[in-house]
Amino acid sequence: MTTFNIYMVRHGQTYLNKYHRIQGWSDTPLTDNGVADAKRAGERLKDVIFTHAVSSDARRARQTAGYILEANNGKIKEPEIDIAFREENFGYFEGNDDYATWHMVGSPHGTNNFHEMIDTFSIEKTKDMLHEADPYHDAEDNATFWGRLQPGFDHLINKCQDGDKVFVSTTVP
């Protein structure tokens, strides 16, 4: 069995994060705080010599990867792009106020926010509930989300060797 380490870093703060807006496949650039977060992560990871680097195709993940790899003492300076590591698609709710969205989706089930939904139902069931609440059903349900994400992990499993250190810049929380 091959064993390797994955250093998975979620992107720094974006403008939609700052404004408490739902952001999945929607993409906004990093704020100054997000850039500072990415640079701090780069500083913390600078001595980890990565054998592979992968990023979601989202601009915010690519920006974060750029700052981290720029600070890194290894040879990899550009990540491989893989959409598998993209955040879930929130469908109709993309760009909406996050508090209002989670209240609207959760309140019929006795919860009022994202964290209550996760604690009460699980993250998997919460994805399914959001999909059902989406009037167009474009929001990814749990099976669709994992159907996209798992091949990304499978790709890493197939390409890595014992002891590899893999950096993944992602939008997945």
Side-chain angles (χ1 to χ4, degrees):
M1 172 188 282
T2 302
T3 60
F4 58 93
N5 293 307
I6 297 177
Y7 296 80
M8 188 169 276
V9 178
R10 183 174 186 261
H11 64 83
Q13 182 191 55
T14 68
Y15 283 95
L16 285 182
N17 296 148
K18 179 179 178 178
Y19 305 143
H20 295 278
R21 299 287 177 180
I22 299 284
Q23 180 175 232
W25 286 14
S26 299
D27 207 10
T28 56
L30 300 177
T31 63
D32 290 342
N33 286 341
V35 169
D37 288 343
K39 287 181 177 181
R40 276 192 295 278
E43 196 54 35
R44 292 182 70 185
L45 294 170
K46 72 180 180 183
D47 293 323
V48 178
I49 306 304
F50 300 117
T51 49
H52 305 284
V54 180
S55 175
S56 159
D57 62 330
R59 172 175 43 179
R60 61 193 187 264
R62 291 190 329 264
Q63 285 179 301
T64 299
Y67 287 115
I68 290 170
L69 292 173
E70 179 180 296
N72 193 266
N73 291 324
K75 294 179 181 175
I76 300 174
K77 296 304 174 190
E78 292 289 327
E80 171 187 345
I81 304 301
D82 190 337
I83 66 167
F85 295 103
R86 185 190 290 175
E87 171 71 275
E88 76 182 274
N89 181 355
F90 292 103
Y92 172 81
F93 301 105
E94 290 279 337
N96 287 0
D97 178 86
D98 63 356
Y99 298 115
T101 297
W102 295 117
H103 176 73
M104 183 180 91
V105 173
S107 64
H109 307 282
T111 59
N112 289 305
N113 62 56
F114 178 72
H115 296 291
E116 283 182 18
M117 291 179 72
I118 299 295
D119 290 344
T120 304
F121 303 108
S122 79
I123 195 163
E124 296 83 6
K125 178 68 175 159
T126 298
K127 283 180 184 12
D128 293 342
M129 291 165 66
L130 187 75
H131 171 76
E132 287 304 314
D134 181 343
Y136 299 95
H137 298 294
D138 288 336
E140 288 181 307
D141 61 15
N142 190 60
T144 303
F145 172 76
W146 277 101
R148 180 175 47 77
L149 182 58
Q150 188 61 52
F153 285 117
D154 292 343
H155 175 71
L156 292 177
I157 289 166
N158 289 329
K159 82 185 289 186
C160 288
Q161 299 176 7
D162 269 335
D164 278 359
K165 293 180 176 147
V166 180
F167 166 62
V168 178
S169 182
T170 183
T171 53
V172 177

